[in-house]
Amino acid sequence: MEQHDTWNASMDNTLIDRLKQIPELGQATRIEPVMKGYSADTKFKMFVSGQGHVLVRVYDIAEEWMKQREYQYLQSMQQLGVLCPATLGTGRLDEKNGYMILSYIEGEDASERLPQLNDQQQWAVGFEAGAQLQLIHQLPMEEQIESNHGIYARAPSINVTWSVINSALS
């Protein structure tokens, strides 16, 4: 999968001003662009008083149906106990963009950290990732969303984060 560099400095102030008009984000004090990830969404890590760090994903409104399905799948995964971000809010930012607010999971990218672990630690991480995937497989998949870029294809990358590595090594 291709990683996307989604930061466009020329639009940052306007976009951030619009994001701060969202009631859940009005108290945001620290705002940082998030450059990593496999989606084309524009992403920000924000500190919101009373909530801590949140991840805000801004997406093209043409993808709204798919993003709403992704949001619903994240809610379902939470209910099953999958290690994934908590859903905090979603909506339309303007006529061209929608947004999704998720809890921010601190950690390192597993693709960077995993090679630094010994064989036994890597096995433990793989075992834990498999346990998470087994939970995800309990979800009914009513429809095929997109072959290679859909929610189901991204689900393992959402969950194989440092929290999974920490869980496996504890």
Side-chain angles (χ1 to χ4, degrees):
M1 277 191 189
E2 177 185 339
Q3 284 199 335
H4 292 273
D5 183 356
T6 61
W7 183 247
N8 179 348
S10 65
M11 70 174 190
D12 64 345
N13 289 333
T14 304
L15 181 56
I16 289 170
D17 289 343
R18 283 186 280 154
L19 288 171
K20 288 181 112 180
Q21 292 175 12
I22 298 169
E24 297 95 334
L25 302 175
Q27 301 299 316
T29 56
R30 286 191 307 265
I31 302 167
E32 305 168 22
V34 174
M35 305 301 285
K36 290 189 174 190
Y38 293 97
S39 75
D41 298 348
T42 302
K43 298 173 283 288
F44 297 96
K45 176 182 175 182
M46 301 177 124
F47 182 80
V48 180
S49 182
Q51 290 184 3
H53 287 106
V54 299
L55 176 67
V56 180
R57 295 173 52 182
V58 179
Y59 55 86
D60 187 298
I61 205 69
E63 299 180 351
E64 185 171 40
W65 182 85
M66 186 177 69
K67 295 298 183 176
Q68 292 302 317
R69 296 289 296 161
E70 182 175 354
Y71 191 84
Q72 291 167 355
Y73 279 118
L74 282 169
Q75 288 176 320
S76 297
M77 287 192 293
Q78 266 182 274
Q79 292 171 354
L80 290 173
V82 174
L83 297 174
C84 67
T87 54
L88 304 174
T90 187
R92 283 197 174 189
L93 189 58
D94 54 34
E95 65 280 348
K96 295 181 181 181
N97 298 291
Y99 68 88
M100 186 183 310
I101 306 169
L102 305 169
S103 64
Y104 185 84
I105 299 176
E106 292 288 344
E108 299 173 68
D109 190 325
S111 66
E112 295 170 8
R113 181 71 170 110
L114 199 55
Q116 299 171 356
L117 302 177
N118 66 38
D119 288 347
Q120 184 178 4
Q121 292 169 321
Q122 288 183 18
W123 184 89
V125 170
F127 188 83
E128 179 61 30
Q132 294 296 305
L133 189 56
Q134 189 173 23
L135 291 173
I136 293 168
H137 278 277
Q138 293 178 24
L139 293 173
M141 295 300 292
E142 296 88 15
E143 302 175 30
Q144 182 70 28
I145 307 265
E146 273 184 83
S147 60
N148 290 332
H149 301 289
I151 296 164
Y152 192 69
R154 285 195 310 264
S157 67
I158 290 170
N159 297 294
V160 180
T161 62
W162 185 242
S163 60
V164 172
I165 294 172
N166 262 348
S167 176
L169 298 178
S170 328

